Amino acid sequence: MKLSQFKFNLPESLVANNPAEQRDEARLMVLHKDSGKIEHKIFKDVLGYFDDKDVMILNNTKVFPARLYGNKEKTGATIEVFLLRELNKELRLWDVLVDPARKIRVGNKLYFGDDDLLVAEVVDNTTSRGRTIRFLFEGTDEEFRKNVEILGETPLPKYIKRKATAEDKERYQTIFAKHEGAVAAPTAGLHFSRELMKRLELKGIEFAEVTLHVGLGTFRTVEVEDLTKHKMDSEQFIIEQKDANIVNKALEEKRKICAVGTTSMRAIESAVSANRTLKSANDWTSKFIFPPYDFSIANSMITNFHTPESTLLMMVSAFGGYENVMNAYEVAVKEKYKFYSYGDAMLII
C-alpha cells in the first residue's frame, strides 16, 4: 500500500487538548470488522462487549517526565532537552533531542534548575536534533531520578498547544503504569478507570500485561510513498511467561483477546512462536504493521483516533480492514470525535 492512501482531512478543532473529564467517559466508536457496522457509545460501555474468561492485554509502561528546560553555559540561552532513553546507567549517558539544535554542540555544558540541580555535557551528535549527553552527577541513581522528577515536565505531544500542568502528571499516565521508560503514553489505556477495571474483573475478564516502552519513533512521520521502505525506530518490550500463559489459554479456548493499544499489539506481534502462540520475551522491536497483515494473537483491539498518514493508522487499518477503518475515520470527523492522545477511543471487534 501507498502512503497517500492514508490521507484524510482532519480539522484542527478535533485535536483534543485536554482529556475527558472522567477517564471512562470519553466517546467510544465500535467498529465491527466483519460487517463494517459502526456503533456510537461511551468508553465504559466496553464492558458489554466482553465476557467471562476473555482477555485484555495492557501495556504497563510508565511515562517519565522527559522534557527538561535548561540553559547553555556562557550564553545562558534557554534550551529544551527531551530525554529519549538511558544508554548507560553508570555513566549517566542519555540519548536526547535538543531544541534549538543548531546552538548545541559537542563539549557544551547544560545547566538545569535554579541552583543547577543537574548539569550535563554534550558528548556526541547523533542526528540533526539528536545528541548524546552525560549528566555530571555524583549521587545515587535514586537521587538522580528524583532530580529528573523535580525538573522534568510531562512530555505532552507537541500538537497539544499548552503547557503541561499538574493534572497532566496524573492523566497522561495509565492507572496500571508500573515500569518507567516511556516518553509517550500508551494512549488507549488512558481510558481505563479504577472503577471500570473493577467492573471488568467482576465480569470475569482477565488482564495480561506487557511492557513496551513507547519512544518518539512511534510518531515519526512516514516520508516514503512505498511503505515497504519505511523503517521504524526500535522500542524495548518485555512479556513475562505468566502473561503469555494467560493469553495462550484464551487462544486455546477461542476467547476474545483484546490488544489495548497499538503498542500492546506491536509487542505481542513481535513475540509470536512458530505455532502461533505468544512467547515470553525481553527484546527490542522495530516491527512495522501495515495492510495486508495476518494477525496471530488478538482478535479485537482498543485504540485512539490517529494522525493522517501515521504508522498507527496503518496498523489499525491492517487490523480492521482498510475500507472499514477509512470509512470509520470519515464518520469520526463528521461526528466530531476527538483525535490523538487525549482523544476518544475506538473498539474494533
Side-chain angles (χ1 to χ4, degrees), residues 259-283:
V260 176
T262 56
T263 57
S264 297
M265 186 69 90
R266 195 153 73 256
I268 60 179
E269 285 296 318
S270 300
V272 179
S273 71
N275 60 353
R276 290 170 78 95
T277 58
L278 186 62
K279 56 186 185 185
S280 63
N282 186 341
D283 209 344

mmCIF file with all atom_site columns, all heavy atoms in Angstrom, residues 259-283:
data_model
loop_
_atom_site.group_PDB
_atom_site.id
_atom_site.type_symbol
_atom_site.label_atom_id
_atom_site.label_alt_id
_atom_site.label_comp_id
_atom_site.label_asym_id
_atom_site.label_entity_id
_atom_site.label_seq_id
_atom_site.pdbx_PDB_ins_code
_atom_site.Cartn_x
_atom_site.Cartn_y
_atom_site.Cartn_z
_atom_site.occupancy
_atom_site.B_iso_or_equiv
_atom_site.pdbx_formal_charge
_atom_site.auth_seq_id
_atom_site.auth_comp_id
_atom_site.auth_asym_id
_atom_site.auth_atom_id
_atom_site.pdbx_PDB_model_num
ATOM 1   N N   . ALA A 1 259 ? -6.223 -6.480  22.298 1.00 0.00 ? 259 ALA A N   1
ATOM 2   C CA  . ALA A 1 259 ? -4.992 -5.698  22.488 1.00 0.00 ? 259 ALA A CA  1
ATOM 3   C C   . ALA A 1 259 ? -5.424 -4.265  22.796 1.00 0.00 ? 259 ALA A C   1
ATOM 4   O O   . ALA A 1 259 ? -6.114 -3.630  21.995 1.00 0.00 ? 259 ALA A O   1
ATOM 5   C CB  . ALA A 1 259 ? -4.142 -5.737  21.230 1.00 0.00 ? 259 ALA A CB  1
ATOM 6   N N   . VAL A 1 260 ? -5.051 -3.769  23.969 1.00 0.00 ? 260 VAL A N   1
ATOM 7   C CA  . VAL A 1 260 ? -5.385 -2.392  24.326 1.00 0.00 ? 260 VAL A CA  1
ATOM 8   C C   . VAL A 1 260 ? -4.247 -1.501  23.825 1.00 0.00 ? 260 VAL A C   1
ATOM 9   O O   . VAL A 1 260 ? -3.200 -1.402  24.443 1.00 0.00 ? 260 VAL A O   1
ATOM 10  C CB  . VAL A 1 260 ? -5.606 -2.252  25.852 1.00 0.00 ? 260 VAL A CB  1
ATOM 11  C CG1 . VAL A 1 260 ? -5.859 -0.796  26.222 1.00 0.00 ? 260 VAL A CG1 1
ATOM 12  C CG2 . VAL A 1 260 ? -6.768 -3.128  26.302 1.00 0.00 ? 260 VAL A CG2 1
ATOM 13  N N   . GLY A 1 261 ? -4.470 -0.936  22.652 1.00 0.00 ? 261 GLY A N   1
ATOM 14  C CA  . GLY A 1 261 ? -3.493 -0.013  22.084 1.00 0.00 ? 261 GLY A CA  1
ATOM 15  C C   . GLY A 1 261 ? -2.571 -0.628  21.049 1.00 0.00 ? 261 GLY A C   1
ATOM 16  O O   . GLY A 1 261 ? -2.317 -1.834  21.042 1.00 0.00 ? 261 GLY A O   1
ATOM 17  N N   . THR A 1 262 ? -2.055 0.228   20.181 1.00 0.00 ? 262 THR A N   1
ATOM 18  C CA  . THR A 1 262 ? -1.138 -0.211  19.122 1.00 0.00 ? 262 THR A CA  1
ATOM 19  C C   . THR A 1 262 ? 0.171  -0.726  19.713 1.00 0.00 ? 262 THR A C   1
ATOM 20  O O   . THR A 1 262 ? 0.813  -1.591  19.130 1.00 0.00 ? 262 THR A O   1
ATOM 21  C CB  . THR A 1 262 ? -0.832 0.953   18.156 1.00 0.00 ? 262 THR A CB  1
ATOM 22  O OG1 . THR A 1 262 ? -0.319 2.054   18.901 1.00 0.00 ? 262 THR A OG1 1
ATOM 23  C CG2 . THR A 1 262 ? -2.063 1.383   17.380 1.00 0.00 ? 262 THR A CG2 1
ATOM 24  N N   . THR A 1 263 ? 0.561  -0.196  20.887 1.00 0.00 ? 263 THR A N   1
ATOM 25  C CA  . THR A 1 263 ? 1.841  -0.641  21.485 1.00 0.00 ? 263 THR A CA  1
ATOM 26  C C   . THR A 1 263 ? 1.727  -2.076  22.006 1.00 0.00 ? 263 THR A C   1
ATOM 27  O O   . THR A 1 263 ? 2.643  -2.884  21.825 1.00 0.00 ? 263 THR A O   1
ATOM 28  C CB  . THR A 1 263 ? 2.295  0.313   22.609 1.00 0.00 ? 263 THR A CB  1
ATOM 29  O OG1 . THR A 1 263 ? 1.276  0.395   23.607 1.00 0.00 ? 263 THR A OG1 1
ATOM 30  C CG2 . THR A 1 263 ? 2.594  1.694   22.058 1.00 0.00 ? 263 THR A CG2 1
ATOM 31  N N   . SER A 1 264 ? 0.586  -2.400  22.631 1.00 0.00 ? 264 SER A N   1
ATOM 32  C CA  . SER A 1 264 ? 0.363  -3.787  23.083 1.00 0.00 ? 264 SER A CA  1
ATOM 33  C C   . SER A 1 264 ? 0.353  -4.717  21.872 1.00 0.00 ? 264 SER A C   1
ATOM 34  O O   . SER A 1 264 ? 0.925  -5.806  21.891 1.00 0.00 ? 264 SER A O   1
ATOM 35  C CB  . SER A 1 264 ? -0.982 -3.921  23.812 1.00 0.00 ? 264 SER A CB  1
ATOM 36  O OG  . SER A 1 264 ? -0.988 -3.136  24.963 1.00 0.00 ? 264 SER A OG  1
ATOM 37  N N   . MET A 1 265 ? -0.325 -4.259  20.804 1.00 0.00 ? 265 MET A N   1
ATOM 38  C CA  . MET A 1 265 ? -0.409 -5.072  19.591 1.00 0.00 ? 265 MET A CA  1
ATOM 39  C C   . MET A 1 265 ? 0.984  -5.305  19.004 1.00 0.00 ? 265 MET A C   1
ATOM 40  O O   . MET A 1 265 ? 1.319  -6.414  18.594 1.00 0.00 ? 265 MET A O   1
ATOM 41  C CB  . MET A 1 265 ? -1.316 -4.382  18.564 1.00 0.00 ? 265 MET A CB  1
ATOM 42  C CG  . MET A 1 265 ? -1.568 -5.216  17.333 1.00 0.00 ? 265 MET A CG  1
ATOM 43  S SD  . MET A 1 265 ? -2.611 -6.678  17.667 1.00 0.00 ? 265 MET A SD  1
ATOM 44  C CE  . MET A 1 265 ? -4.245 -5.982  17.386 1.00 0.00 ? 265 MET A CE  1
ATOM 45  N N   . ARG A 1 266 ? 1.801  -4.258  18.979 1.00 0.00 ? 266 ARG A N   1
ATOM 46  C CA  . ARG A 1 266 ? 3.133  -4.423  18.395 1.00 0.00 ? 266 ARG A CA  1
ATOM 47  C C   . ARG A 1 266 ? 3.990  -5.366  19.236 1.00 0.00 ? 266 ARG A C   1
ATOM 48  O O   . ARG A 1 266 ? 4.737  -6.182  18.711 1.00 0.00 ? 266 ARG A O   1
ATOM 49  C CB  . ARG A 1 266 ? 3.832  -3.076  18.207 1.00 0.00 ? 266 ARG A CB  1
ATOM 50  C CG  . ARG A 1 266 ? 5.032  -3.208  17.287 1.00 0.00 ? 266 ARG A CG  1
ATOM 51  C CD  . ARG A 1 266 ? 5.430  -1.982  16.523 1.00 0.00 ? 266 ARG A CD  1
ATOM 52  N NE  . ARG A 1 266 ? 6.054  -0.992  17.361 1.00 0.00 ? 266 ARG A NE  1
ATOM 53  C CZ  . ARG A 1 266 ? 5.454  0.113   17.775 1.00 0.00 ? 266 ARG A CZ  1
ATOM 54  N NH1 . ARG A 1 266 ? 4.214  0.366   17.443 1.00 0.00 ? 266 ARG A NH1 1
ATOM 55  N NH2 . ARG A 1 266 ? 6.078  0.949   18.541 1.00 0.00 ? 266 ARG A NH2 1
ATOM 56  N N   . ALA A 1 267 ? 3.844  -5.270  20.550 1.00 0.00 ? 267 ALA A N   1
ATOM 57  C CA  . ALA A 1 267 ? 4.609  -6.162  21.439 1.00 0.00 ? 267 ALA A CA  1
ATOM 58  C C   . ALA A 1 267 ? 4.231  -7.624  21.199 1.00 0.00 ? 267 ALA A C   1
ATOM 59  O O   . ALA A 1 267 ? 5.099  -8.473  21.001 1.00 0.00 ? 267 ALA A O   1
ATOM 60  C CB  . ALA A 1 267 ? 4.372  -5.785  22.904 1.00 0.00 ? 267 ALA A CB  1
ATOM 61  N N   . ILE A 1 268 ? 2.930  -7.924  21.175 1.00 0.00 ? 268 ILE A N   1
ATOM 62  C CA  . ILE A 1 268 ? 2.540  -9.337  21.047 1.00 0.00 ? 268 ILE A CA  1
ATOM 63  C C   . ILE A 1 268 ? 2.859  -9.881  19.654 1.00 0.00 ? 268 ILE A C   1
ATOM 64  O O   . ILE A 1 268 ? 3.260  -11.028 19.510 1.00 0.00 ? 268 ILE A O   1
ATOM 65  C CB  . ILE A 1 268 ? 1.052  -9.600  21.443 1.00 0.00 ? 268 ILE A CB  1
ATOM 66  C CG1 . ILE A 1 268 ? 0.076  -8.808  20.571 1.00 0.00 ? 268 ILE A CG1 1
ATOM 67  C CG2 . ILE A 1 268 ? 0.842  -9.300  22.926 1.00 0.00 ? 268 ILE A CG2 1
ATOM 68  C CD1 . ILE A 1 268 ? -1.406 -9.031  20.895 1.00 0.00 ? 268 ILE A CD1 1
ATOM 69  N N   . GLU A 1 269 ? 2.723  -9.035  18.636 1.00 0.00 ? 269 GLU A N   1
ATOM 70  C CA  . GLU A 1 269 ? 3.028  -9.496  17.277 1.00 0.00 ? 269 GLU A CA  1
ATOM 71  C C   . GLU A 1 269 ? 4.535  -9.671  17.063 1.00 0.00 ? 269 GLU A C   1
ATOM 72  O O   . GLU A 1 269 ? 4.956  -10.287 16.099 1.00 0.00 ? 269 GLU A O   1
ATOM 73  C CB  . GLU A 1 269 ? 2.439  -8.543  16.236 1.00 0.00 ? 269 GLU A CB  1
ATOM 74  C CG  . GLU A 1 269 ? 0.932  -8.678  16.067 1.00 0.00 ? 269 GLU A CG  1
ATOM 75  C CD  . GLU A 1 269 ? 0.509  -10.053 15.536 1.00 0.00 ? 269 GLU A CD  1
ATOM 76  O OE1 . GLU A 1 269 ? 1.163  -10.578 14.627 1.00 0.00 ? 269 GLU A OE1 1
ATOM 77  O OE2 . GLU A 1 269 ? -0.492 -10.602 16.047 1.00 0.00 ? 269 GLU A OE2 1
ATOM 78  N N   . SER A 1 270 ? 5.323  -9.127  17.995 1.00 0.00 ? 270 SER A N   1
ATOM 79  C CA  . SER A 1 270 ? 6.784  -9.285  17.912 1.00 0.00 ? 270 SER A CA  1
ATOM 80  C C   . SER A 1 270 ? 7.253  -10.510 18.688 1.00 0.00 ? 270 SER A C   1
ATOM 81  O O   . SER A 1 270 ? 8.444  -10.779 18.777 1.00 0.00 ? 270 SER A O   1
ATOM 82  C CB  . SER A 1 270 ? 7.476  -8.035  18.477 1.00 0.00 ? 270 SER A CB  1
ATOM 83  O OG  . SER A 1 270 ? 7.099  -6.897  17.754 1.00 0.00 ? 270 SER A OG  1
ATOM 84  N N   . ALA A 1 271 ? 6.311  -11.238 19.290 1.00 0.00 ? 271 ALA A N   1
ATOM 85  C CA  . ALA A 1 271 ? 6.695  -12.397 20.112 1.00 0.00 ? 271 ALA A CA  1
ATOM 86  C C   . ALA A 1 271 ? 5.790  -13.597 19.815 1.00 0.00 ? 271 ALA A C   1
ATOM 87  O O   . ALA A 1 271 ? 5.281  -14.247 20.722 1.00 0.00 ? 271 ALA A O   1
ATOM 88  C CB  . ALA A 1 271 ? 6.601  -12.022 21.588 1.00 0.00 ? 271 ALA A CB  1
ATOM 89  N N   . VAL A 1 272 ? 5.581  -13.858 18.540 1.00 0.00 ? 272 VAL A N   1
ATOM 90  C CA  . VAL A 1 272 ? 4.732  -14.982 18.128 1.00 0.00 ? 272 VAL A CA  1
ATOM 91  C C   . VAL A 1 272 ? 5.615  -16.201 17.876 1.00 0.00 ? 272 VAL A C   1
ATOM 92  O O   . VAL A 1 272 ? 6.616  -16.112 17.161 1.00 0.00 ? 272 VAL A O   1
ATOM 93  C CB  . VAL A 1 272 ? 3.936  -14.630 16.844 1.00 0.00 ? 272 VAL A CB  1
ATOM 94  C CG1 . VAL A 1 272 ? 3.071  -15.804 16.405 1.00 0.00 ? 272 VAL A CG1 1
ATOM 95  C CG2 . VAL A 1 272 ? 3.071  -13.390 17.078 1.00 0.00 ? 272 VAL A CG2 1
ATOM 96  N N   . SER A 1 273 ? 5.256  -17.334 18.473 1.00 0.00 ? 273 SER A N   1
ATOM 97  C CA  . SER A 1 273 ? 6.054  -18.555 18.299 1.00 0.00 ? 273 SER A CA  1
ATOM 98  C C   . SER A 1 273 ? 5.718  -19.212 16.961 1.00 0.00 ? 273 SER A C   1
ATOM 99  O O   . SER A 1 273 ? 4.763  -18.822 16.280 1.00 0.00 ? 273 SER A O   1
ATOM 100 C CB  . SER A 1 273 ? 5.755  -19.537 19.436 1.00 0.00 ? 273 SER A CB  1
ATOM 101 O OG  . SER A 1 273 ? 4.454  -20.065 19.256 1.00 0.00 ? 273 SER A OG  1
ATOM 102 N N   . ALA A 1 274 ? 6.479  -20.227 16.613 1.00 0.00 ? 274 ALA A N   1
ATOM 103 C CA  . ALA A 1 274 ? 6.284  -20.933 15.330 1.00 0.00 ? 274 ALA A CA  1
ATOM 104 C C   . ALA A 1 274 ? 4.880  -21.518 15.225 1.00 0.00 ? 274 ALA A C   1
ATOM 105 O O   . ALA A 1 274 ? 4.309  -21.606 14.140 1.00 0.00 ? 274 ALA A O   1
ATOM 106 C CB  . ALA A 1 274 ? 7.331  -22.031 15.184 1.00 0.00 ? 274 ALA A CB  1
ATOM 107 N N   . ASN A 1 275 ? 4.300  -21.920 16.378 1.00 0.00 ? 275 ASN A N   1
ATOM 108 C CA  . ASN A 1 275 ? 2.939  -22.475 16.311 1.00 0.00 ? 275 ASN A CA  1
ATOM 109 C C   . ASN A 1 275 ? 1.868  -21.418 16.636 1.00 0.00 ? 275 ASN A C   1
ATOM 110 O O   . ASN A 1 275 ? 0.781  -21.737 17.101 1.00 0.00 ? 275 ASN A O   1
ATOM 111 C CB  . ASN A 1 275 ? 2.802  -23.724 17.196 1.00 0.00 ? 275 ASN A CB  1
ATOM 112 C CG  . ASN A 1 275 ? 3.105  -23.422 18.650 1.00 0.00 ? 275 ASN A CG  1
ATOM 113 O OD1 . ASN A 1 275 ? 3.547  -22.313 18.969 1.00 0.00 ? 275 ASN A OD1 1
ATOM 114 N ND2 . ASN A 1 275 ? 2.875  -24.379 19.533 1.00 0.00 ? 275 ASN A ND2 1
ATOM 115 N N   . ARG A 1 276 ? 2.218  -20.156 16.407 1.00 0.00 ? 276 ARG A N   1
ATOM 116 C CA  . ARG A 1 276 ? 1.303  -19.024 16.519 1.00 0.00 ? 276 ARG A CA  1
ATOM 117 C C   . ARG A 1 276 ? 0.686  -18.849 17.905 1.00 0.00 ? 276 ARG A C   1
ATOM 118 O O   . ARG A 1 276 ? -0.508 -18.569 18.063 1.00 0.00 ? 276 ARG A O   1
ATOM 119 C CB  . ARG A 1 276 ? 0.201  -19.098 15.452 1.00 0.00 ? 276 ARG A CB  1
ATOM 120 C CG  . ARG A 1 276 ? 0.760  -18.830 14.043 1.00 0.00 ? 276 ARG A CG  1
ATOM 121 C CD  . ARG A 1 276 ? -0.257 -19.136 12.974 1.00 0.00 ? 276 ARG A CD  1
ATOM 122 N NE  . ARG A 1 276 ? -1.250 -18.076 12.854 1.00 0.00 ? 276 ARG A NE  1
ATOM 123 C CZ  . ARG A 1 276 ? -1.193 -17.065 11.987 1.00 0.00 ? 276 ARG A CZ  1
ATOM 124 N NH1 . ARG A 1 276 ? -0.174 -16.960 11.184 1.00 0.00 ? 276 ARG A NH1 1
ATOM 125 N NH2 . ARG A 1 276 ? -2.155 -16.170 11.930 1.00 0.00 ? 276 ARG A NH2 1
ATOM 126 N N   . THR A 1 277 ? 1.535  -19.048 18.914 1.00 0.00 ? 277 THR A N   1
ATOM 127 C CA  . THR A 1 277 ? 1.126  -18.696 20.276 1.00 0.00 ? 277 THR A CA  1
ATOM 128 C C   . THR A 1 277 ? 2.057  -17.577 20.744 1.00 0.00 ? 277 THR A C   1
ATOM 129 O O   . THR A 1 277 ? 3.017  -17.230 20.057 1.00 0.00 ? 277 THR A O   1
ATOM 130 C CB  . THR A 1 277 ? 1.221  -19.909 21.234 1.00 0.00 ? 277 THR A CB  1
ATOM 131 O OG1 . THR A 1 277 ? 2.575  -20.374 21.213 1.00 0.00 ? 277 THR A OG1 1
ATOM 132 C CG2 . THR A 1 277 ? 0.267  -21.018 20.844 1.00 0.00 ? 277 THR A CG2 1
ATOM 133 N N   . LEU A 1 278 ? 1.761  -17.023 21.928 1.00 0.00 ? 278 LEU A N   1
ATOM 134 C CA  . LEU A 1 278 ? 2.567  -15.914 22.448 1.00 0.00 ? 278 LEU A CA  1
ATOM 135 C C   . LEU A 1 278 ? 3.695  -16.469 23.308 1.00 0.00 ? 278 LEU A C   1
ATOM 136 O O   . LEU A 1 278 ? 3.475  -17.333 24.153 1.00 0.00 ? 278 LEU A O   1
ATOM 137 C CB  . LEU A 1 278 ? 1.678  -14.975 23.274 1.00 0.00 ? 278 LEU A CB  1
ATOM 138 C CG  . LEU A 1 278 ? 2.332  -13.685 23.779 1.00 0.00 ? 278 LEU A CG  1
ATOM 139 C CD1 . LEU A 1 278 ? 2.800  -12.801 22.622 1.00 0.00 ? 278 LEU A CD1 1
ATOM 140 C CD2 . LEU A 1 278 ? 1.365  -12.916 24.680 1.00 0.00 ? 278 LEU A CD2 1
ATOM 141 N N   . LYS A 1 279 ? 4.902  -15.968 23.093 1.00 0.00 ? 279 LYS A N   1
ATOM 142 C CA  . LYS A 1 279 ? 6.022  -16.438 23.929 1.00 0.00 ? 279 LYS A CA  1
ATOM 143 C C   . LYS A 1 279 ? 6.554  -15.289 24.783 1.00 0.00 ? 279 LYS A C   1
ATOM 144 O O   . LYS A 1 279 ? 6.350  -14.112 24.459 1.00 0.00 ? 279 LYS A O   1
ATOM 145 C CB  . LYS A 1 279 ? 7.116  -17.036 23.054 1.00 0.00 ? 279 LYS A CB  1
ATOM 146 C CG  . LYS A 1 279 ? 7.650  -16.133 21.971 1.00 0.00 ? 279 LYS A CG  1
ATOM 147 C CD  . LYS A 1 279 ? 8.636  -16.857 21.068 1.00 0.00 ? 279 LYS A CD  1
ATOM 148 C CE  . LYS A 1 279 ? 9.225  -15.853 20.078 1.00 0.00 ? 279 LYS A CE  1
ATOM 149 N NZ  . LYS A 1 279 ? 10.087 -16.429 19.088 1.00 0.00 ? 279 LYS A NZ  1
ATOM 150 N N   . SER A 1 280 ? 7.217  -15.630 25.870 1.00 0.00 ? 280 SER A N   1
ATOM 151 C CA  . SER A 1 280 ? 7.822  -14.601 26.714 1.00 0.00 ? 280 SER A CA  1
ATOM 152 C C   . SER A 1 280 ? 8.979  -13.980 25.944 1.00 0.00 ? 280 SER A C   1
ATOM 153 O O   . SER A 1 280 ? 9.566  -14.604 25.057 1.00 0.00 ? 280 SER A O   1
ATOM 154 C CB  . SER A 1 280 ? 8.299  -15.202 28.032 1.00 0.00 ? 280 SER A CB  1
ATOM 155 O OG  . SER A 1 280 ? 9.304  -16.161 27.770 1.00 0.00 ? 280 SER A OG  1
ATOM 156 N N   . ALA A 1 281 ? 9.312  -12.732 26.270 1.00 0.00 ? 281 ALA A N   1
ATOM 157 C CA  . ALA A 1 281 ? 10.377 -12.046 25.527 1.00 0.00 ? 281 ALA A CA  1
ATOM 158 C C   . ALA A 1 281 ? 10.923 -10.892 26.347 1.00 0.00 ? 281 ALA A C   1
ATOM 159 O O   . ALA A 1 281 ? 10.235 -10.324 27.199 1.00 0.00 ? 281 ALA A O   1
ATOM 160 C CB  . ALA A 1 281 ? 9.817  -11.510 24.212 1.00 0.00 ? 281 ALA A CB  1
ATOM 161 N N   . ASN A 1 282 ? 12.180 -10.564 26.085 1.00 0.00 ? 282 ASN A N   1
ATOM 162 C CA  . ASN A 1 282 ? 12.794 -9.337  26.604 1.00 0.00 ? 282 ASN A CA  1
ATOM 163 C C   . ASN A 1 282 ? 13.695 -8.877  25.481 1.00 0.00 ? 282 ASN A C   1
ATOM 164 O O   . ASN A 1 282 ? 14.804 -9.362  25.326 1.00 0.00 ? 282 ASN A O   1
ATOM 165 C CB  . ASN A 1 282 ? 13.580 -9.610  27.887 1.00 0.00 ? 282 ASN A CB  1
ATOM 166 C CG  . ASN A 1 282 ? 14.080 -8.315  28.507 1.00 0.00 ? 282 ASN A CG  1
ATOM 167 O OD1 . ASN A 1 282 ? 14.155 -7.280  27.827 1.00 0.00 ? 282 ASN A OD1 1
ATOM 168 N ND2 . ASN A 1 282 ? 14.426 -8.349  29.775 1.00 0.00 ? 282 ASN A ND2 1
ATOM 169 N N   . ASP A 1 283 ? 13.188 -7.962  24.668 1.00 0.00 ? 283 ASP A N   1
ATOM 170 C CA  . ASP A 1 283 ? 13.836 -7.719  23.384 1.00 0.00 ? 283 ASP A CA  1
ATOM 171 C C   . ASP A 1 283 ? 13.527 -6.297  22.897 1.00 0.00 ? 283 ASP A C   1
ATOM 172 O O   . ASP A 1 283 ? 12.888 -5.520  23.597 1.00 0.00 ? 283 ASP A O   1
ATOM 173 C CB  . ASP A 1 283 ? 13.283 -8.752  22.373 1.00 0.00 ? 283 ASP A CB  1
ATOM 174 C CG  . ASP A 1 283 ? 14.292 -9.092  21.285 1.00 0.00 ? 283 ASP A CG  1
ATOM 175 O OD1 . ASP A 1 283 ? 15.273 -8.337  21.128 1.00 0.00 ? 283 ASP A OD1 1
ATOM 176 O OD2 . ASP A 1 283 ? 14.073 -10.083 20.572 1.00 0.00 ? 283 ASP A OD2 1
#
